[in-house]
Amino acid sequence: SKTHILPKIEVAGSYVEQRVLCETRITFPGSHTYTVAVTHLDLTEANRLEQVPVINEILSKAAHPVIFGGDFNAQPGTQTINMIDAAGFVRSCKHNCFSIPSNKPTSEIDFVTFRPSAKFTVVSNQVITGVTVSDHLPVISILEMK
């Protein structure tokens, strides 16, 4: 496992904290190895646009299929998500996977993604409702690994 420090730039009037990418490799029976990574991207778009290319560079070095998820702090259609999509990551849920706020979700900013697409099939994806231990609802994706 590795922890990678992501870039951080100060943005006037915004709270900015250090963010990381955690990466590990998991080998399943039959010697099938996958890279799994998770992050919590910054609140500011300026920082997210610095962080996503670094994440893509790190995960592009993986010799195995990649599952990448976390709180991306960005909605579909934003530059952040467009960059992740353009890097070849496929979101396990494409529509109405609202996870925030937990008491009445109206936004999707939490994602499970993967690449290459030919190595995975999305069996199911759901947002677990009725949970109030966070301001986000849990997102659960079941992927079939080919």
Side-chain angles (χ1 to χ4, degrees):
S1 296
K2 297 178 185 175
T3 300
H4 305 275
I5 303 296
L6 297 176
K8 176 179 86 165
I9 55 174
E10 295 302 324
V11 178
S14 296
Y15 174 72
V16 175
E17 62 183 37
Q18 184 63 65
R19 304 297 175 139
V20 299
L21 174 73
C22 297
E23 172 193 20
T24 193
R25 282 173 194 74
I26 300 173
T27 300
F28 293 94
S31 299
H32 301 286
T33 302
Y34 294 83
T35 295
V36 179
V38 66
T39 194
H40 182 180
L41 294 177
D42 197 67
L43 297 172
T44 66
E45 185 172 47
N47 272 297
R48 291 192 304 269
L49 295 179
E50 295 290 322
Q51 294 165 348
V52 170
V54 171
I55 290 169
N56 184 43
E57 181 181 335
I58 291 166
L59 295 180
S60 290
K61 295 175 184 171
H64 314 287
V66 176
I67 300 170
F68 168 51
D71 179 349
F72 294 173
N73 269 319
Q75 296 182 349
T78 60
Q79 282 186 285
T80 300
I81 300 303
N82 290 345
M83 287 174 69
I84 291 169
D85 291 348
F89 287 100
V90 177
R91 287 176 271 133
S92 62
C93 182
K94 298 269 184 161
H95 305 289
N96 302 323
C97 301
F98 303 129
S99 59
I100 189 169
S102 61
N103 62 340
K104 195 171 190 175
T106 57
S107 295
E108 47 188 321
I109 64 172
D110 303 296
F111 300 95
V112 175
T113 70
F114 53 88
R115 75 176 183 202
S117 61
K119 293 291 186 178
F120 299 92
T121 299
V122 178
V123 174
S124 67
N125 191 85
Q126 71 181 92
V127 178
I128 306 299
T129 59
V131 179
T132 57
V133 295
S134 171
D135 61 331
H136 296 245
L137 294 172
V139 176
I140 298 176
S141 297
I142 298 176
L143 304 175
E144 179 183 343
M145 301 171 182
K146 298 179 183 178

